[in-house]
Amino acid sequence: MGISGPILTNIITTDPNILGRSLKNKIIPSFNFLKSLIPDDIGSIGATLRRSTWILHSIETTLGPSISILRKHGVPDSSISKLVISQPRTLVQKPDQINKIVLELKEMSFSPSNMVFVRGFAVLSGIKKPAWEAKFAVFKSFGWSDQEIMSVFRKQPIVMAASVEKIRTSLDYFMNKQNWTQIEISIFPTVLLLGMEKRVIPRCSVTQVLLSKGLIKKKQMGTALIVAEAVFLKNFVIKYQKEVPELMKLYQSKMGILGLDIRSVESSLYN
């Protein structure tokens, strides 16, 4: 079927029991069912099997009913395939539970036709009510309303998969140290998931200087945090070297990489 090399080796060594399953009754039907969900992408199929070898044992029986429910509610196959590739175990639930989660998402104004729906599905599948309530409580302790919290969840569901401590630390930094409002965080909810020491703090040290000098606007700070490293250096450090020559040194000190030659950085960015 086109799966070979290291991927095949990994599949077999991870779950050698596969070799004892019926080729005709188990492996081939499971593989064909998986292929129907992920058409014309043998690479993704191989990656999925490498992470979840159990799929080859009886995928149609374990995932079939859940997939049928999602389809019934209008979730497109393109979204379902993404879920199967990334988090197939979220579909190994009783049909009643699958249906319950889907209805909850609809009540939260998630659209089944939108890709973010399956992200929300994955999060709700893996979080218990006490944990959900604890995370809600953290947001509320910073003055967030239910509507504002749900706005973040609808835009970036994975935020609610973060730990209580991560959410608290991020909210404290952005709201108390950077003076961000709920609305500003809601525009860029992904910032709540970023690493503090190696990304948020070093980049904010740069944007705060630029902001104080009127070189950027506050609304640009969110973009500065989520772009790739090369883009950040080009647009928020190199670009302002003449106006603020100490920017690179400041950024390097926060990153713990003092001594990097500015000319080599510029060369790598523009060549």
Side-chain angles (χ1 to χ4, degrees):
M1 299 305 296
I3 296 176
S4 60
I7 292 179
L8 178 60
T9 301
N10 183 274
I11 292 171
I12 300 301
T13 55
T14 299
D15 187 6
N17 290 327
I18 287 175
L19 297 177
R21 307 293 288 179
S22 169
L23 186 65
K24 179 180 179 181
N25 297 323
K26 295 293 183 181
I27 295 179
I28 291 178
S30 293
F31 189 92
N32 287 338
F33 186 78
L34 179 62
K35 197 171 186 299
S36 72
L37 298 172
I38 314 173
D40 304 319
D41 192 349
I42 196 65
S44 293
I45 292 175
T48 301
L49 292 177
R50 184 172 55 185
R51 290 192 300 268
S52 310
T53 56
W54 55 270
I55 284 178
L56 280 179
H57 289 271
S58 191
I59 184 177
E60 195 163 5
T61 301
T62 55
L63 302 191
S66 299
I67 290 171
S68 294
I69 291 172
L70 292 179
R71 285 172 171 163
K72 179 181 177 181
H73 283 282
V75 180
D77 282 357
S78 57
S79 294
I80 293 174
S81 68
K82 295 291 184 182
L83 192 58
V84 172
I85 291 171
S86 61
Q87 293 177 296
R89 287 199 178 276
T90 61
L91 296 170
V92 187
Q93 301 183 66
K94 294 181 180 180
D96 287 349
Q97 181 63 17
I98 296 289
N99 197 59
K100 178 184 176 182
I101 294 172
V102 170
L103 291 177
E104 286 179 354
L105 288 168
K106 284 186 172 182
E107 290 177 0
M108 295 175 181
S109 299
F110 279 81
S111 171
S113 62
N114 195 306
M115 181 61 203
V116 76
F117 184 91
V118 293
R119 295 175 190 157
F121 176 87
V123 171
L124 288 188
S125 295
I127 189 170
K128 295 182 179 180
K129 186 175 181 180
W132 176 269
E133 292 176 345
K135 293 170 186 181
F136 245 72
V138 173
F139 275 98
K140 286 190 171 183
S141 71
F142 284 88
W144 289 63
S145 67
D146 288 352
Q147 293 79 8
E148 289 168 335
I149 301 170
M150 288 309 303
S151 175
V152 166
F153 181 59
R154 281 191 291 269
K155 190 167 185 178
Q156 182 54 275
I158 198 173
V159 166
M160 295 302 283
S163 69
V164 167
E165 187 55 37
K166 173 58 178 172
I167 294 173
R168 181 182 291 112
T169 299
S170 295
L171 287 175
D172 177 61
Y173 182 81
F174 285 109
M175 299 190 75
N176 294 333
K177 295 181 175 64
Q178 297 297 317
N179 297 315
W180 284 34
T181 65
Q182 289 93 324
I183 293 176
E184 288 166 338
I185 293 175
S186 296
I187 295 173
F188 297 97
T190 302
V191 300
L192 297 177
L193 302 170
L194 300 176
M196 298 298 295
E197 298 300 324
K198 290 296 183 181
R199 189 166 188 132
V200 174
I201 293 176
R203 295 193 183 190
C204 281
S205 68
V206 170
T207 54
Q208 280 290 359
V209 171
L210 296 176
L211 190 64
S212 68
K213 293 181 178 296
L215 295 171
I216 65 170
K217 296 181 179 180
K218 190 178 180 182
K219 63 181 181 180
Q220 293 177 265
M221 293 181 71
T223 300
L225 287 172
I226 64 175
V227 295
E229 178 74 359
V231 177
F232 173 76
L233 287 172
K234 178 181 178 181
N235 293 339
F236 294 93
V237 179
I238 304 297
K239 181 178 179 179
Y240 299 104
Q241 276 299 295
K242 289 184 179 180
E243 295 92 336
V244 194
E246 69 272 16
L247 265 188
M248 180 60 80
K249 186 175 181 179
L250 171 64
Y251 182 63
Q252 290 175 346
S253 69
K254 296 296 183 180
M255 290 289 288
I257 52 173
L258 281 174
L260 188 62
D261 185 356
I262 185 65
R263 288 172 297 182
S264 67
V265 174
E266 290 178 319
S267 178
S268 65
L269 291 174
Y270 293 103
N271 295 328

